[in-house]
Amino acid sequence: MKPFLFVTDLDDTLVYRTVGDDSALAELNQLLSQHRQEYGTKIVYATGRSPVLYKELQAQKNLLQPDALVLSVGTEIYLNGTDTPDSGWAEILSPGWNRETVLSITKKYRELVRQPDSEQRPFKVSFFLQEDFSAIVLPQLEAELQKNKLNVKLIYSSSIDLDIVPYSSDKGQAMQFLRQKWKFAAEQTVVCGDSGNDIALFAVGNERGIIVGNARKELLQWHNEHLADYRYLAKSFCAGGIIEGLKFFGLLE
Ligand code: GLC
Ligand code: MG
């Protein structure tokens, strides 16, 4: 068995966000920590959560200590359990990013409801946006941000969460940063997700992909339009679907 780079979203991918049966999680944790010990496999969590909300979940679900953390939809990378975001990554995101201008434009849209303060981050501005409004608001907002020469990306997930981040940033770019740093081949890298902010993980290259059985419609739609033999749609939900996919790719026995 060879080491692999394991990158997973948390909410509704590794763990159930609200209610659900996390029993497969214990089995997956056991398999992964053993693989890490024996072969040097690396574990990365890539989530939309801020440090505050990540710590909450970590305590609730007793998550394994990861080798790196990608927080705030890819805008922050934390290596080896440190509390300070990687400065090399911040340098890549800084050019052209102007938080204040983004805020002054978004203020004009009544449909955008600010998420809690903890989720507003140096390189991420986040709102709730009801799905009914999204088809009209998103293109308008995108055009207006572009007109102001703001080099940003809009990421809409789970029919409610809207994140505005630097264009050079998302979970996929952050994953590539770590993959190159640790020198894992795409064939020895696997990414797992369930919703819109995970599309970047699957779309950035030809890493192995696992879509859990409970995935959201925006990800399923993207998957059906971009079928690839290096991406697997699991039948089981959450951690159970991840185990299914790791076996499918022969990364786990
Ligand atoms: C997490 C974050 C939130 C973000 C969402 C989607 O729920 O807390 O700020 O909008 O992920 O990326
Ligand atoms: Mg998720």
Side-chain angles (χ1 to χ4, degrees):
M1 290 259 99
K2 289 209 280 186
F4 61 91
L5 173 58
F6 174 77
V7 181
T8 187
D9 168 51
L10 295 175
D11 291 274
D12 289 329
T13 299
L14 185 68
V15 301
Y16 284 90
R17 187 201 285 260
T18 45
V19 279
D21 175 11
D22 278 320
S23 59
L25 178 62
E27 185 190 348
L28 177 60
N29 279 348
Q30 167 63 26
L31 291 166
L32 286 172
S33 59
Q34 198 176 334
H35 217 272
R36 172 157 69 179
Q37 221 167 27
E38 270 181 52
Y39 306 104
T41 281
K42 289 203 187 274
I43 301 168
V44 174
Y45 300 144
T47 172
R49 290 179 180 241
S50 64
V52 170
L53 290 192
Y54 167 68
K55 279 179 196 137
E56 249 175 42
L57 190 74
Q58 156 116 59
Q60 252 171 39
K61 304 276 185 178
N62 201 10
L63 301 176
L64 291 177
Q65 199 62 48
D67 297 280
L69 260 179
V70 171
L71 298 185
S72 309
V73 240
T75 62
E76 297 165 38
I77 298 179
Y78 297 82
L79 292 160
N80 313 311
T82 54
D83 269 342
T84 329
D86 185 81
S87 57
W89 184 238
E91 265 166 43
I92 294 174
L93 305 193
S94 291
W97 170 246
N98 190 333
R99 217 173 171 282
E100 292 316 308
T101 317
V102 171
L103 284 175
S104 70
I105 291 173
T106 50
K107 226 180 255 159
K108 296 186 285 187
Y109 291 77
R110 276 188 310 119
E111 299 86 348
L112 298 179
V113 178
R114 244 176 83 96
Q115 287 190 14
D117 284 346
S118 74
E119 302 314 285
Q120 311 301 335
R121 303 292 299 162
F123 294 108
K124 169 176 172 283
V125 179
S126 292
F127 300 93
F128 297 121
L129 170 64
Q130 296 299 332
E131 186 170 34
D132 296 350
F133 302 133
S134 67
I136 294 181
V137 169
L138 290 177
Q140 257 182 34
L141 178 62
E142 176 138 48
E144 193 172 352
L145 290 164
Q146 254 172 30
K147 209 174 69 196
N148 284 271
K149 305 262 182 309
L150 288 166
N151 206 12
V152 297
K153 187 181 280 180
L154 304 187
I155 304 176
Y156 189 53
S157 308
S158 314
S159 307
I160 186 71
D161 293 321
L162 174 64
D163 303 313
I164 307 179
V165 300
Y167 193 76
S168 47
S169 172
D170 56 41
K171 289 186 182 186
Q173 300 297 331
M175 178 273 289
Q176 291 287 25
F177 180 83
L178 292 170
R179 188 170 79 70
Q180 279 152 19
K181 180 181 186 65
W182 288 331
K183 302 193 169 49
F184 279 94
E187 296 72 32
Q188 286 301 117
T189 301
V190 61
V191 301
C192 317
D194 77 296
S195 85
N197 71 8
D198 302 314
I199 293 175
L201 282 174
F202 299 108
V204 67
N206 58 346
E207 287 75 16
R208 304 299 174 244
I210 301 171
I211 297 180
V212 289
N214 52 300
R216 294 272 179 171
K217 63 179 179 203
E218 70 268 14
L219 174 57
L220 290 175
Q221 187 186 338
W222 178 86
H223 168 65
N224 286 323
E225 288 163 2
H226 300 84
L227 291 175
D229 55 9
Y230 49 80
R231 196 173 325 113
Y232 178 75
L233 177 58
K235 285 172 205 71
S236 310
F237 287 13
C238 291
I242 297 178
I243 297 176
E244 196 186 307
L246 291 174
K247 290 185 174 160
F248 174 81
F249 288 123
L251 292 164
L252 282 185
E253 275 159 344

